């Protein structure tokens, strides 16, 4: 039977069926754990994020020439490759952290340097602004800056705690005489101070008081000898070697000053001062002391020691006369053209270089029994000087104890100011109580003098 028979016989009803074709061959599949894949992707994603956010990714790639290989998760060796990639990533991450820590350290160092620079610039700017605001023509430098610019550390207090910082004192008017002040502070620290009493006096008269302290040793006179003993020193000319005579002085010894008419240092006539009471301008020491209970006038102050004009007396004479009565008096005077303070000290008395007309008295409140004021000690009563005098009078009131005495001795005043200015200021505004009050005409035209004994009330 041929093929045709197979196809045509029985019209194909009894034709045999062909065998079915074989199924197509399928490729093998490898299945991985889904949890492992998720964990790996999480680790890789976070690692890349950390490296990129730290800015160290590119440097790490350059440093290690790292070329990530493709992860063939479906290959049989995918686990080994994944482990190798994880190890490499961990190593790179550790190196990145180390580099990041180093960068942080550099940033901290840079910040500290920048902060120090900004602080220095701020301090310099503030200092320049302060100098300009305070009126200095130039920024302070050298010894002047060291003595003036504060605060200064004062260590610990009595209870062991930190004491408040101390600011050095300097007269406000010093800014107007900066040139002289810089010359005054030009010296060799630890050496000998220049002999510049004239310069110091000029500064003080200009309002630059107190002067700044200096780190130098005051010179001693050549051939210095001990002063005369008390009580002989009160009424005898001091030894010339007891003071350092500056070149600016017209006289070079005490003998010249004592005999010069303008100086009026003649001690031969000084013992008679304040011994007579004429009931007018002349008050006696005995009458003044008698106004207080016996021996209750013990310590006092003589303002403008030496007086001026018609009431001139040798510096320290009032203190010497009171010492004979057992009263300790401090003499406030300035060395104007003569070594007045040295003269007072050579007589065995205490002097202070201060003018009450311009500066606060260096005494505590309510400590003095007596204040004696001669010409020039309180300023002038009229014009703009009236304000200066009022400040001085209130300061005298401050240092006097309740019941203390204020002795005004031959104080010069214009006729129109005796009652309208001086009397009202002393009694009505300041609050002294009159014990005695005398006025008298002076030798000059329209020149009057006031002598008064006033009391600070026991109760304000």
């Amino acid at each position: 039977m041929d093929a045709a028979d197979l196809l045509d016989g029985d019209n194909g009803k009894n034709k045999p069926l062909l065998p079915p074709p074989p199924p197509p061959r399928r490729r093998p599949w490898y299945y991985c754990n889904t949890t492992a894949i998720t964990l790996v992707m999480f680790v890789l994603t976070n690692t890349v994020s950390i490296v990129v956010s730290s800015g160290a990714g590119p440097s790490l790639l350059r440093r290690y020439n790292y070329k990530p290989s493709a992860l063939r998760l479906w290959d049989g060796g995918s686990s080994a490759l994944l482990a190798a990639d994880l190890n490499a990533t961990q190593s790179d991450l550790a190196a990145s952290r180390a580099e990041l820590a180093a960068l942080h350290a550099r940033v901290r160092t840079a910040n500290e340097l920048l902060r120090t620079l900004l602080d220095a610039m701020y301090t310099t700017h503030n200092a320049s602004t302060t100098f300009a605001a305070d009126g200095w023509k130039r920024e302070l430098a050298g010894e002047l800056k060291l003595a003036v610019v504060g605060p200064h550390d004062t260590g610990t207090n009595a209870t062991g705690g930190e004491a408040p910082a101390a600011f050095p004192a300097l007269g406000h008017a010093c800014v107007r005489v900066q040139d002289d002040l810089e010359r005054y502070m030009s010296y060799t620290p630890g050496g000998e101070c220049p002999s510049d009493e004239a310069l110091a006096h000029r500064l003080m008269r200009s309002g630059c008081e107190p002067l700044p302290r200096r780190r130098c040793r005051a010179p001693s006179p050549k051939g210095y000898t001990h002063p005369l003993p008390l009580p002989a020193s009160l009424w005898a000319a001091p030894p010339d070697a007891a003071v350092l005579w500056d070149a600016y002085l017209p006289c070079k010894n005490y003998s010249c000053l004592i005999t010069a008419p303008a100086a009026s240092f003649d001690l031969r006539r000084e013992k008679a001062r304040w011994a007579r009471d004429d009931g007018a301008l002349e008050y006696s020491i005995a009458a003044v002391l008698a106004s207080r209970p016996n021996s209750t006038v013990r310590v006092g102050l003589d303002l403008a020691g030496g007086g001026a004009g018609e009431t001139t007396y040798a510096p320290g004479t009032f203190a010497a006369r009171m010492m004979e009565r057992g009263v300790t008096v401090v003499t406030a005077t300035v060395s104007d053209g003569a070594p007045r303070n040295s003269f007072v000290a050579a007589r065995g008395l205490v002097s202070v270089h201060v003018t009450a007309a311009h500066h606060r008295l260096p005494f505590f409140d309510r400590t003095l029994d007596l204040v004696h004021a001669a010409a020039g000690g309180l300023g002038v009563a009229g014009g703009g000087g009236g304000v200066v005098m009022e400040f001085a009078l209130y300061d005298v009131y401050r240092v006097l104890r309740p019941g203390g005495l204020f002795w005004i001795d031959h104080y010069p005043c214009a006729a129109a100011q005796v009652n309208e200015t001086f009397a009202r200021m002393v009694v009505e505004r300041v609050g002294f109580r009159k014990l005695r009050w005398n006025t008298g005409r002076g030798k000059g035209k329209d020149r009057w003098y006031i002598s008064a004994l006033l009391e600070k009330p026991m109760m304000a």
Side-chain angles (χ1 to χ4, degrees):
M1 183 179 296
D2 54 14
D5 292 334
L6 293 176
L7 295 173
D8 297 335
D10 298 332
N11 297 326
K13 294 180 178 179
N14 296 319
K15 294 178 179 178
L17 297 175
L18 296 174
R25 186 175 182 179
R26 301 178 63 182
R27 296 176 62 184
W29 289 87
Y30 297 92
Y31 296 94
C32 294
N33 192 318
T34 305
T35 303
I37 294 175
T38 303
L39 179 61
V40 170
M41 295 302 295
F42 177 78
V43 171
L44 288 176
T45 303
N46 283 276
T47 302
V48 172
S49 299
I50 292 172
V51 173
V52 172
S53 63
S54 65
S59 63
L60 288 174
L61 294 178
R62 287 191 300 268
R63 175 183 297 179
Y64 299 104
N65 195 20
Y66 174 69
K67 296 181 180 180
S69 60
L71 294 178
R72 295 171 294 178
L73 300 179
W74 320 116
D75 295 341
S78 61
S79 298
L81 292 176
L82 182 61
D85 287 341
L86 280 176
N87 291 334
T89 302
Q90 290 177 350
S91 177
D92 293 344
L93 183 59
S96 176
R97 287 175 177 172
E99 183 177 0
L100 187 61
L103 290 175
H104 284 169
R106 292 179 183 178
V107 170
R108 285 194 299 270
T109 303
N111 286 339
E112 292 175 0
L113 293 175
L114 181 60
R115 186 178 297 109
T116 302
L117 179 61
L118 291 176
D119 290 342
M121 294 175 61
Y122 178 78
T123 303
T124 303
H125 173 73
N126 279 359
S128 301
T129 303
T130 301
F131 291 131
D134 289 345
W136 296 104
K137 296 187 297 183
R138 295 174 297 277
E139 182 176 349
L140 303 184
E143 288 293 293
L144 180 58
K145 180 178 180 180
L146 188 63
V148 172
V149 177
H152 293 171
D153 186 14
T154 56
T156 58
N157 54 28
T159 60
E162 184 176 353
F167 289 84
L170 182 70
H172 177 70
C174 291
V175 298
R176 299 198 300 263
V177 288
Q178 184 173 355
D179 293 339
D180 282 346
L181 188 62
E182 288 174 344
R183 282 194 291 271
Y184 179 76
M185 295 299 292
S186 297
Y187 59 88
T188 302
E192 186 176 89
C193 296
S195 181
D196 52 5
E197 187 174 353
L199 177 60
H201 176 69
R202 184 166 69 246
L203 286 168
M204 296 177 69
R205 290 296 296 267
S206 300
C208 186
E209 185 185 1
L211 288 170
R213 294 185 293 186
R214 301 195 292 188
R215 297 189 300 168
C216 55
R217 291 184 293 273
S220 299
K222 293 182 179 180
Y224 179 80
T225 60
H226 291 290
L228 298 174
L230 284 169
S233 62
L234 295 177
W235 307 110
D240 291 331
V243 67
L244 185 66
W245 297 88
D246 288 343
Y248 81 97
L249 293 174
C251 293
K252 305 304 178 186
N253 52 58
Y254 281 123
S255 300
C256 174
L257 292 175
I258 291 173
T259 57
S264 299
F265 281 15
D266 189 358
L267 301 180
R268 295 171 296 181
R269 62 181 183 181
E270 296 295 292
K271 286 189 176 182
R273 289 202 179 268
W274 304 288
R276 183 177 65 90
D277 194 318
D278 63 359
L281 293 176
E282 293 287 343
Y283 292 4
S284 68
I285 291 177
V288 171
L289 295 180
S291 64
R292 300 291 88 183
N294 189 32
S295 299
T296 57
V297 178
R298 305 151 301 165
V299 291
L301 170 66
D302 180 25
L303 292 176
E310 300 174 23
T311 57
T312 299
Y313 53 90
T317 292
F318 182 80
R321 297 285 285 122
M322 296 299 288
M323 178 180 282
E324 295 174 336
R325 298 291 187 123
V327 181
T328 300
V329 171
V330 176
T331 301
T333 185
V334 294
S335 296
D336 186 6
R340 297 176 183 273
N341 283 281
S342 298
F343 187 85
V344 173
R347 299 179 70 179
L349 305 167
V350 179
S351 65
V352 290
H353 202 166
V354 65
T355 57
H358 299 92
H359 309 289
R360 193 174 193 264
L361 296 174
F363 299 96
F364 290 108
D365 298 357
R366 302 174 299 277
T367 54
L368 301 182
D369 304 313
L370 170 71
V371 173
H372 175 261
L378 302 172
V380 295
V387 176
V388 175
M389 174 175 282
E390 191 168 358
F391 274 109
L393 289 172
Y394 273 106
D395 206 28
V396 170
Y397 191 95
R398 175 186 64 84
V399 299
L400 279 173
R401 65 168 176 82
L405 297 175
F406 182 27
W407 181 356
I408 300 175
D409 189 4
H410 287 79
Y411 212 88
C413 187
Q417 299 166 353
V418 172
N419 295 319
E420 293 297 324
T421 303
F422 200 91
R424 288 187 177 182
M425 187 185 299
V426 170
V427 178
E428 296 179 13
R429 293 207 291 273
V430 181
F432 285 106
R433 188 171 71 89
K434 288 183 180 179
L435 299 181
R436 292 180 63 175
W437 183 273
N438 299 95
T439 60
R441 186 184 296 274
K443 295 180 180 180
K445 182 180 179 181
D446 194 34
R447 187 175 184 86
W448 285 68
Y449 288 100
I450 299 174
S451 288
L453 187 61
L454 309 171
E455 176 191 49
K456 179 178 178 178
M458 296 291 290
M459 297 293 293

